[in-house]
Amino acid sequence: ETKSGQADHRVFLLPNKCSGKVRETTFGGSGLGYSVWEAGIALSIHLASNPSLVHNKVVMELGSGVGLVGVACGLLGAEEVVLTDFGAVDDGSNQAWFAEEVVGQEGFQKRGVEGANSVVEERWQPTALQSNLAYNIELNELGGTCARLRLDWHASLAPDFRAAREFPVVLGSDLIYYERDAEALVATVLAHLQANPGAEFLLMNRQGRPGLDTVLAALGDAGGTL
């Protein structure tokens, strides 16, 4: 990491001459997605050291936070990157696609607006998270490659849920903090990952986190190779 010249901005010098910049916010504005976490740095380094994992591929990032990993994917030559996270619905995020995801406006209102954000606090939705993602995409001049999407993992548990798109690569870092979110995370991964042998879910997560063993076991039961 090197100095950025701005107190709330950070610059990461990654392998293969890849340099990603992000602005951090506050916990009050963005919840757990306000800052760069160690696992996000580690996954960005891993991708930059192995660019073929994302180069010329369409990628979905879950739990993007400030977006360092998604930004790294864009800088490493991904064909398209969709950075996703939770957030308030009035912050300019792509509500139309999310409404399609949960199948119908009624489901969107129930799950998107009134549903619980169990990652932080029930019924609390970060107001600055999505807008900061948009800022960091533009900060790295990746508007033509990266897009952002408001996504509630718990919507994937609905019996009538179907993903609007599937991706050959789904990835994320520090995605699981609570056991109660494990089922929703697994459902989201399986719903959005293409059903072909070459599809990959890449996860970098601190060991010992509640729910991590549950997630890995469920993905294995679904036919994944860990």
Side-chain angles (χ1 to χ4, degrees):
E1 183 177 357
T2 187
K3 294 182 179 179
S4 68
Q6 294 177 273
D8 56 351
H9 288 56
R10 299 176 69 180
V11 179
F12 295 88
L13 304 179
L14 304 172
N16 286 315
K17 300 181 180 180
C18 178
S19 176
K21 299 171 286 187
V22 294
R23 179 183 67 180
E24 296 181 322
T25 57
T26 64
F27 181 82
S30 297
L32 293 172
Y34 82 97
S35 178
V36 176
W37 298 97
E38 291 180 354
I41 299 172
L43 182 53
S44 298
I45 292 173
H46 178 68
L47 295 173
S49 300
N50 302 274
S52 62
L53 291 171
V54 296
H55 185 72
N56 287 334
K57 296 181 180 180
V58 180
V59 178
M60 169 182 260
E61 183 191 9
L62 301 177
S64 295
V66 298
L68 176 62
V69 174
V71 163
C73 291
L75 295 172
L76 291 166
E79 178 182 332
E80 180 184 359
V81 187
V82 179
L83 293 80
T84 72
D85 213 316
F86 207 58
V89 296
D90 59 351
D91 61 6
S93 59
N94 187 347
Q95 299 176 35
W97 188 10
F98 182 75
E100 182 181 357
E101 292 268 52
V102 298
V103 189
Q105 187 65 18
E106 182 178 354
F108 171 61
Q109 292 294 338
K110 180 179 179 181
R111 299 179 182 278
V113 178
E114 300 176 355
N117 176 13
S118 55
V119 172
V120 181
E121 179 182 0
E122 288 190 352
R123 299 186 181 278
W124 187 82
Q125 300 172 43
T127 57
L129 199 155
Q130 286 288 335
S131 58
N132 193 54
L133 268 179
Y135 177 90
N136 286 334
I137 289 172
E138 294 304 320
L139 182 64
N140 291 274
E141 300 180 354
L142 290 170
T145 301
C146 296
R148 63 193 173 95
L149 170 68
R150 181 188 181 277
L151 183 64
D152 179 0
W153 299 347
H154 289 264
S156 300
L157 296 173
D160 56 354
F161 177 85
R162 60 180 182 274
R165 294 180 64 184
E166 295 179 350
F167 297 78
V169 179
V170 177
L171 48 73
S173 59
D174 266 343
L175 293 181
I176 189 73
Y177 289 85
Y178 303 117
E179 182 74 37
R180 64 179 178 267
D181 290 321
E183 183 183 9
L185 172 56
V186 171
T188 300
V189 171
L190 296 178
H192 291 88
L193 191 63
Q194 289 181 354
N196 65 63
E200 292 186 301
F201 171 55
L202 306 176
L203 173 65
M204 186 74 70
N205 214 94
R206 182 181 291 275
Q207 293 183 343
R209 283 269 169 78
L212 179 58
D213 289 343
T214 301
V215 169
L216 297 178
L219 291 173
D221 291 343
T225 301
L226 305 177

